[in-house]
């Protein structure tokens, strides 16, 4: 079973990671949300705390999530997910509608354009160069200009330097698994299944997302029946890192309005 944590009290709320995240990355959002919800966090197969070869098909992560929910005795959850996790969350909501009460997807898309796919291949090359070269922190140099807004990088130089060092210290297995997760992104095509989502849904874009264009995020919302769409201004793709308070505020507002 994949790694998971459970904290807080109240209705269950499941957080699903972006591709290079780990459950701990959600801490700024999780701590305030735990005052209102039972917050479940997990690392998908191939992420830091769930090491091992990831599945080749993004959709296979859905079964792992269902296994966690079954283990915890959770019949249905609200979902808060970002990027890669947003794809998994959308497939979970489409394939198992009885298990999903609502869906809030941040900085995700309905599928990859060729430009996005080329960017993912560049990331994978960066992973392999970091793994094979002498400086594993190189991966941070590859990702940062795309996933963070320029203003955030400028304002958090010391923090980003520390994060670069932390990435450089990660085990080889993490780099190997991340390369596999990035390869699996070729299977990231949701269009055929999005129409099956019936739960209340909010799709959130990041204004300055350097990876997922606003139109792709908007297309995700338009493909889901009755989904709402909002934009968090001034944030890059890693919006859950850059603006956690904005994400929490949106989540609380959305979940309070969603029917039980």
């Amino acid at each position: 079973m994949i790694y998971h944590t459970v904290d807080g009290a109240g209705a269950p709320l499941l957080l699903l990671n972006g591709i290079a995240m780990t459950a701990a990355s959600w801490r700024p959002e999780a701590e305030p949300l735990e005052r209102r919800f039972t917050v479940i966090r997990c690392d998908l197969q191939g992420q830091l705390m769930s090491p091992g070869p990831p599945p080749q098909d993004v959709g296979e992560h859905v079964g792992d999530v269902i296994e966690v929910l079954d283990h915890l005795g959770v019949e249905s959850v609200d979902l808060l997910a970002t990027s890669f996790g947003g794809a998994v969350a959308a497939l979970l909501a489409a394939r198992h509608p009885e298990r999903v009460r609502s869906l809030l997807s941040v900085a995700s898309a309905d599928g990859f354009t060729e430009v996005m796919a080329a960017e993912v291949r560049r990331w994978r090359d960066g992973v392999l160069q970091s793994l094979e070269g002498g400086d594993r922190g190189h991966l941070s140099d590859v990702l940062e200009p795309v996933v963070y807004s320029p203003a955030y990088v400028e304002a958090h130089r010391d923090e980003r330097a520390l994060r670069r060092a932390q990435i450089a210290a990660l085990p080889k297995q993490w780099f190997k698994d991340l390369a596999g997760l990035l390869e699996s992104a070729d299977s990231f095509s949701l269009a055929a299944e999005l129409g099956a989502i019936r739960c209340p849904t909010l799709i959130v874009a990041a204004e300055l997302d350097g990876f997922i264009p606003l139109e792709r995020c908007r297309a995700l919302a338009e493909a889901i029946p009755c989904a709402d769409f909002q934009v968090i201004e001034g944030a890059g793709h890693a919006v859950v890192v850059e603006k956690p308070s904005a994400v929490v505020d949106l989540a609380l507002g959305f979940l309070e309005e969603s029917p039980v």
Side-chain angles (χ1 to χ4, degrees):
M1 184 180 300
I2 59 173
Y3 171 84
H4 58 278
T5 64
V6 181
D7 298 284
L13 172 62
L14 175 63
L15 312 185
L16 292 178
N17 303 338
I19 201 163
M21 288 173 62
T22 187
S25 305
W26 284 106
R27 186 172 292 112
E29 286 89 0
E31 290 180 352
L33 289 171
E34 286 162 12
R35 303 185 193 118
R36 305 275 290 277
F37 302 94
T38 298
V39 176
I40 306 166
R41 290 179 279 168
C42 65
D43 276 14
L44 300 170
Q45 190 65 44
Q47 295 186 322
L48 181 63
M49 301 301 292
S50 299
Q56 294 182 346
D57 187 329
V58 172
E60 292 185 35
H61 293 288
V62 171
D64 290 337
V65 174
I66 290 292
E67 184 180 7
V68 169
L69 297 181
D70 288 346
H71 172 73
L72 297 175
V74 174
E75 293 185 1
S76 63
V77 293
D78 295 299
L79 291 176
L80 169 56
T82 189
S83 194
F84 186 84
V88 177
L91 292 173
L92 176 59
R95 296 176 183 180
H96 300 276
E98 75 285 356
R99 307 302 295 266
V100 179
R101 291 155 44 100
S102 69
L103 168 62
L104 198 171
S105 177
V106 181
S108 195
D110 59 335
F112 280 177
T113 64
E114 180 49 43
V115 172
M116 293 166 66
E119 181 62 24
V120 170
R121 290 193 291 270
R122 190 180 74 87
W123 292 356
R124 182 177 178 275
D125 288 345
V127 172
L128 297 178
Q129 290 170 15
S130 297
L131 186 60
E132 297 165 0
D135 178 13
R136 292 187 191 169
H138 170 70
L139 177 59
S140 182
D141 301 335
V142 172
L143 294 178
E144 248 185 26
V146 179
V147 301
Y148 296 104
S149 65
Y152 180 84
V153 173
E154 181 63 28
H156 295 81
R157 287 192 175 276
D158 291 345
E159 180 182 335
R160 301 318 310 155
L162 174 60
R163 180 57 178 156
R164 188 187 192 281
Q166 290 172 335
I167 289 176
L170 289 171
K172 286 185 178 180
Q173 188 65 48
W174 182 81
F175 288 88
K176 292 177 181 178
D177 291 345
L178 179 56
L181 284 166
L182 291 166
E183 285 181 2
S184 75
D186 288 340
S187 66
F188 180 21
S189 179
L190 309 180
E193 301 195 54
L194 294 175
I197 297 175
R198 291 291 181 266
C199 63
T201 300
L202 175 60
I203 304 300
V204 178
E207 180 192 17
L208 305 179
D209 197 324
F211 174 50
I212 295 180
L214 282 178
E215 59 266 25
R216 288 272 51 86
C217 201
R218 190 183 299 275
L220 175 61
E222 292 174 349
I224 299 173
C226 299
D228 291 325
F229 178 75
Q230 293 192 38
V231 178
I232 294 179
E233 297 181 353
H237 183 66
V239 58
V240 298
V241 175
E242 291 193 27
K243 293 187 176 289
S245 295
V247 174
V248 169
D249 289 345
L250 276 175
L252 290 175
F254 171 66
L255 292 169
E256 287 173 357
E257 294 174 2
S258 298
V260 176

